[in-house]
Amino acid sequence: MSEPVTPYKLIGGEEAVYDLVERFYGYMNDLPEARGIRKMHAADLRGAKTKLFKYLSGWLGGPDLYQAEFGHPRLRMRHFPFAIGQDERDQWMFCMSKALAETPMDEELRAGLHEALANLATHMINREA
């Protein structure tokens, strides 16, 4: 039996997911449009990068590194201490959209991942504007 073809494999596996996360946090760190969400993070982004990389690895169908280390993601619960409204969601998606656009992949896959991540980001909203 052959291994299933997953988004993880289609975008290039570990190296591609790592690059996506690096691009995302680079934008979040540097762009004024992301200032609000940058303030929610520690000065040193290494821990956040590691967690997002591990989460996306499993979410995309690769090794489930996040769950192996931290247990079930429970993303909404884990993000509840942070005030996330539409603006924060949009800032997160702004950075992720730019990072996805620079990650080599099939356009249909990119569109599907963008939609799924946008839905995930919307699910994290925990306060009114």
Side-chain angles (χ1 to χ4, degrees), residues 74-84 92 124 126:
R74 294 183 174 84
L75 290 181
R76 191 160 163 79
M77 181 192 77
R78 291 180 195 264
H79 286 82
F80 199 73
F82 306 98
I84 301 171
W92 194 91
M124 294 300 108
N126 60 25

Side-chain angles (χ1 to χ4, degrees), residues 97-119:
S97 295
K98 290 181 81 54
L100 279 171
E102 293 179 357
T103 302
M105 70 180 82
D106 175 79
E107 289 303 318
E108 191 173 323
L109 175 60
R110 184 185 330 278
L113 291 177
H114 188 275
E115 181 179 356
L117 287 164
N119 290 336

Side-chain angles (χ1 to χ4, degrees), residues 24-96:
F24 169 79
Y25 278 107
Y27 286 128
M28 190 186 79
N29 193 56
D30 296 341
L31 296 178
E33 296 92 340
R35 193 169 298 132
I37 60 170
R38 178 60 181 98
K39 290 178 184 177
M40 294 179 172
H41 291 76
D44 184 342
L45 292 171
R46 282 181 288 192
K49 288 178 184 181
T50 297
K51 284 185 176 180
L52 182 59
F53 166 76
K54 289 180 178 187
Y55 174 76
L56 287 177
S57 176
W59 186 80
L60 291 166
D64 204 352
L65 305 171
Y66 187 94
Q67 189 152 338
E69 186 171 343
F70 302 107
H72 190 284
R74 294 183 174 84
L75 290 181
R76 191 160 163 79
M77 181 192 77
R78 291 180 195 264
H79 286 82
F80 199 73
F82 306 98
I84 301 171
Q86 188 67 43
D87 286 345
E88 291 76 18
R89 177 256 184 233
D90 291 349
Q91 290 174 39
W92 194 91
M93 277 308 300
F94 179 75
C95 297
M96 186 54 75

Side-chain angles (χ1 to χ4, degrees), residues 10-22:
L10 290 172
I11 68 168
E14 180 179 336
E15 185 176 333
V17 175
Y18 180 80
D19 288 345
L20 175 68
V21 169
E22 283 293 318

